Amino acid sequence: MTEASTHFDAAVIGGGPAGLAAAIALAQAGTRTALVARRVPYADNRTTALLGASVELLETLEVWPRCRDKAAALEIMRLVDDTGRLFRAPEVRFSCHEIGLDAFGYNIDNRSLMLALEERAAELPDLVRFDDEADSVVIGDADVAIRTASNKFLSARLVVGADGRHSLCREAANIAVTRRDLAQTALTFNVGHARPHRNISTEFHTPHGPCVFVPLPGNRSSIVWVSAPAEAERLRALSDEDLSAAVEKQSHSILGRMTVEPGRNLFPLAIERPTSFGRDRVALVGEAAHVVPPIGAQGLNLGLRDAADIARLASEAIAAGQDPGTSEVLRRYDRARRPDILSRTFAIDIANRSLLNDFLPLQPVRAVGMQLLGAIGPLRRFAMREGLTPTWRR
Ligand SMILES: Cc1cc2nc3c(=O)[nH]c(=O)nc-3n(C[C@H](O)[C@H](O)[C@H](O)COP(=O)(O)OP(=O)(O)OC[C@H]3O[C@@H](n4cnc5c(N)ncnc54)[C@H](O)[C@@H]3O)c2cc1C
């Protein structure tokens, strides 16, 4: 490799969905980009409810046409209070038709989404792939030096840290992170069911967290079942027959008889927030920038907005003949992402806490809030629009 071929405008470290989207968005805008990421099959069975703006971004990146047939539309979202408490909230139904949409978004298995992202990334001439891991990231005045696990060297003016929860890039930029373990674990698996879901996702709010049924194509749904860690372990260890019966009971049989499909994964839940989203030539995207519990399907939707914003700011700087990794560009990135990430982390945290047994004072507040959402059309419509895209991005 020549000197020129190892020096880039931007280097994305990490090839999860947020990193691949960032690398594609950068390279598609003409930024010479390196992607340092192992090419390995996606390892878990999570699905992602992609909300409106995320689907539009994936359209623009020419990713969506490659995977949309694997996704199911989400037209109605039901929130059901299944806490069995004194202050129980009424059921709230959000319908996309109420705000003039055909769908809130689409639920897709992450494996199919990743295949589509990988396929698009492989087509872009401005994107150079290092099928490797970053071993060291050293920030200098004019650029960042990266050494890979197989001893390759590259440098870039801007580094996009898409390297997940234990981000090496975040550490290299000396960005501290606050972490709160939630003593809750999500069990994920997919089911087939006897009755059609009619594109309705249902979130049962239990005293230990939500249990969510999200449509997949056909008579299938993906389940995210949040409970205490020991209970999640117990559920995962059940036979197919017993887990099918348990999940059908939890769903109050709304979808009829259920049959679990192969594959179960556990995710201990936490909230993580770095003190900065970008500085010292490093911009953080995806879970390197925010970890939130799976409530309201926000995590990767935030990650895709991170990807779009850093690609836009870097390409604007390059078009103006500027260095895309300067403090000014990273301050702009931090300012663009901060309100979105912090407001959503706060809302998800409050929604989650209001379910748990040890937050009694929040329970009547939550019941009244849900009642108001259910009863007042303009408030409900505002909540739906805000859930899809923050006001300042419309
Ligand atoms: C149960 C559950 C359900 C969810 N449901 C939804 C949903 O419906 N909607 C939604 O929007 N979000 C959802 N999320 C959140 C979403 O799954 C995450 O936000 C998303 O997967 C994070 O992607 P990422 O690319 O940031 O991180 P990751 O997928 O963790 O990718 C990071 C990558 O970086 C690589 N890496 C790490 N270090 C290095 C290194 N040094 N060099 C090179 N590579 C490196 C890792 O191997 C990994 O491939 C859910 C999360 C959970 C737990």
Side-chain angles (χ1 to χ4, degrees):
M1 238 181 250
T2 66
E3 173 82 2
S5 71
T6 58
H7 186 74
F8 297 88
D9 292 327
V12 178
I13 313 286
L20 278 168
I24 295 168
L26 282 158
Q28 189 166 293
T31 304
R32 239 182 78 71
T33 304
L35 171 63
V36 182
R38 283 251 185 257
R39 247 191 221 101
V40 285
Y42 190 75
D44 63 68
N45 64 350
R46 259 179 295 178
T47 69
T48 298
L50 293 165
L51 304 177
S54 297
V55 176
E56 283 164 27
L57 173 70
L58 293 172
E59 289 268 14
T60 311
L61 299 183
E62 298 180 32
V63 172
W64 189 239
R66 301 163 201 258
C67 58
R68 79 171 125 222
D69 62 328
K70 305 285 190 314
L74 304 174
E75 294 178 25
I76 292 178
M77 296 191 184
R78 293 174 65 203
L79 307 184
V80 180
D81 187 329
D82 200 14
T83 56
R85 292 191 185 121
L86 186 59
F87 297 111
R88 272 181 59 192
E91 177 181 325
V92 182
R93 275 173 95 94
F94 296 110
S95 165
C96 64
H97 308 297
E98 220 188 310
I99 51 170
L101 298 176
D102 292 332
F104 285 120
Y106 295 84
N107 189 41
I108 185 166
D109 65 288
N110 287 11
R111 282 195 188 108
S112 300
L113 175 61
M114 287 292 289
L115 284 175
L117 285 162
E118 287 280 9
E119 196 181 294
R120 177 62 182 144
E123 287 176 355
L124 290 161
D126 280 321
L127 185 53
V128 177
R129 175 76 171 249
F130 291 77
D131 187 357
D132 211 335
E133 273 153 39
D135 223 16
S136 90
V137 173
V138 178
I139 299 165
D141 285 343
D143 60 15
V144 181
I146 299 153
R147 182 172 46 79
T148 72
S150 50
N151 228 18
K152 295 208 175 71
F153 294 86
L154 63 145
S155 62
R157 295 193 288 174
L158 169 71
V159 161
V160 176
D163 46 353
R165 294 184 181 207
H166 308 287
S167 169
L168 177 67
C169 299
R170 194 170 63 200
E171 202 181 301
N174 224 353
I175 299 174
V177 63
T178 53
R179 178 186 168 87
R180 185 152 50 85
D181 290 311
L182 294 180
Q184 290 167 292
T185 296
L187 171 66
T188 59
F189 55 100
N190 298 332
V191 294
H193 35 76
R195 289 193 212 133
H197 47 58
R198 291 180 291 125
N199 301 102
I200 301 172
S201 95
T202 307
E203 196 164 308
F204 289 96
H205 290 172
T206 83
H208 309 288
C211 179
V212 195
F213 294 76
V214 197
L216 283 171
N219 279 359
R220 298 172 63 233
S221 291
S222 60
I223 317 288
V224 178
W225 193 344
V226 177
S227 55
E231 174 63 4
E233 289 281 3
R234 186 191 73 79
L235 290 168
R236 184 175 63 165
L238 291 178
S239 66
D240 282 358
E241 207 183 359
D242 289 347
L243 184 59
S244 300
V247 74
E248 185 185 330
K249 185 165 175 235
Q250 174 56 60
S251 73
H252 300 269
S253 297
I254 54 169
L255 297 168
R257 196 173 173 75
M258 289 193 168
T259 313
V260 300
E261 296 178 357
R264 303 171 191 184
N265 293 100
L266 288 180
F267 297 89
L269 302 188
I271 292 184
E272 287 186 19
R273 188 159 55 83
T275 50
S276 168
F277 301 105
R279 68 172 225 206
D280 293 344
R281 296 194 172 275
V282 173
L284 301 178
V285 304
E287 288 211 326
H290 39 77
V291 174
V292 290
I295 292 183
Q298 293 293 325
L300 183 56
N301 285 285
L302 277 173
L304 293 175
R305 294 204 284 276
D306 303 336
D309 280 351
I310 193 57
R312 175 178 54 80
L313 291 169
S315 63
E316 279 171 9
I318 291 169
Q322 292 161 5
D323 173 346
T326 59
S327 302
E328 183 45 38
V329 173
L330 290 160
R331 262 199 299 276
R332 264 185 243 147
Y333 178 68
D334 187 85
R335 274 201 301 273
R337 298 310 303 136
R338 187 166 288 272
D340 192 13
I341 295 172
L342 296 193
S343 62
R344 265 137 223 276
T345 305
F346 177 75
I348 292 167
D349 191 15
I350 292 291
N352 187 41
R353 281 175 189 241
S354 72
L355 296 178
L356 306 178
N357 279 324
D358 48 349
F359 276 86
L360 274 172
L362 274 180
Q363 287 161 17
V365 178
R366 175 175 171 277
V368 171
M370 300 265 286
Q371 179 127 33
L372 293 176
L373 270 180
I376 303 176
L379 184 63
R380 195 173 51 249
R381 289 190 280 279
F382 172 78
M384 285 190 262
R385 291 199 187 95
E386 201 54 35
L388 291 179
T389 319
T391 319
W392 60 88
R393 293 182 80 96
R394 277 179 224 141

